[in-house]
Amino acid sequence: MTNRLRGLLMALIAVLGLAAGVTVLASADTTPPPPTTGDNAAPPAVEDFNYPGANTISRIKLLRGDGHIMLADCAKPSQIQLWTRAPGNPDNKVCFTATSTTGQLTLQLADLFAVQTTGRSLHAELTAADIKKGIDVASDGIAGVGEGLGQEPTTVVELRITG
């Protein structure tokens, strides 16, 4: 093999090796994959304040909140008790725990007759006969509402912890 042929062969090998390297580098895609859609899509990272698991709770309609007032088992200590004749509440109450000294929850619970608190002050927004009314319940207090006072059936629509 002559030097010239050997040089051409070496050049060809170098070019082929270089070409193979360029092909590998050119095929490496550094752009991120497109976002997934459908059932596999990740939920948005933006808080929508909808009550988690609300569609699985039948005895009360929980709508939105800031996460500081959470539905609780009435057999355990709770800070807020809503006394009601609403169906699905055999012990006549729905209980909540408060994880902060402030909090907000939008809900719907009909046939309310009393609101009771332990360790928290509370403001409740109520509706009766299409009239909206607010009441304040002092810490460790109880307040009769609606039928508990001989008035129209009352629905609680919002709870706010005030202290």
Side-chain angles (χ1 to χ4, degrees), residues 7-157:
L8 284 173
L9 186 57
M10 294 300 282
L12 180 60
I13 291 171
V15 167
L16 288 175
L18 183 60
V22 169
T23 302
V24 170
L25 290 176
S27 69
D29 189 3
T30 59
T31 59
T36 59
T37 59
D39 293 339
N40 295 331
V46 177
E47 176 60 61
D48 62 6
F49 296 100
N50 289 333
Y51 195 92
N55 58 344
T56 64
I57 303 166
S58 61
R59 60 191 182 130
I60 183 173
K61 190 171 184 178
L62 302 170
L63 301 171
R64 300 173 60 88
D66 62 5
H68 296 293
I69 301 175
M70 300 299 293
L71 189 63
D73 181 355
C74 290
K76 297 179 181 178
S78 58
Q79 287 95 10
I80 303 166
Q81 298 94 34
L82 301 178
W83 294 84
T84 179
R85 292 185 308 99
N89 297 290
D91 57 355
N92 289 334
K93 65 181 172 177
V94 176
C95 299
F96 297 89
T97 58
T99 61
S100 178
T101 57
T102 62
Q104 182 273 335
L105 178 64
T106 303
L107 67 156
Q108 289 179 352
L109 180 61
D111 299 327
L112 195 71
F113 61 87
V115 178
Q116 184 174 2
T117 68
T118 305
R120 298 284 189 264
S121 299
L122 183 74
H123 177 81
E125 288 292 323
L126 312 166
T127 60
D130 294 328
I131 298 171
K132 197 169 186 178
K133 172 185 171 184
I135 64 160
D136 292 311
V137 183
S139 180
D140 301 319
I142 187 167
V145 297
E147 292 176 295
L149 298 174
Q151 299 171 358
E152 295 286 325
T154 300
T155 299
V156 62
V157 294

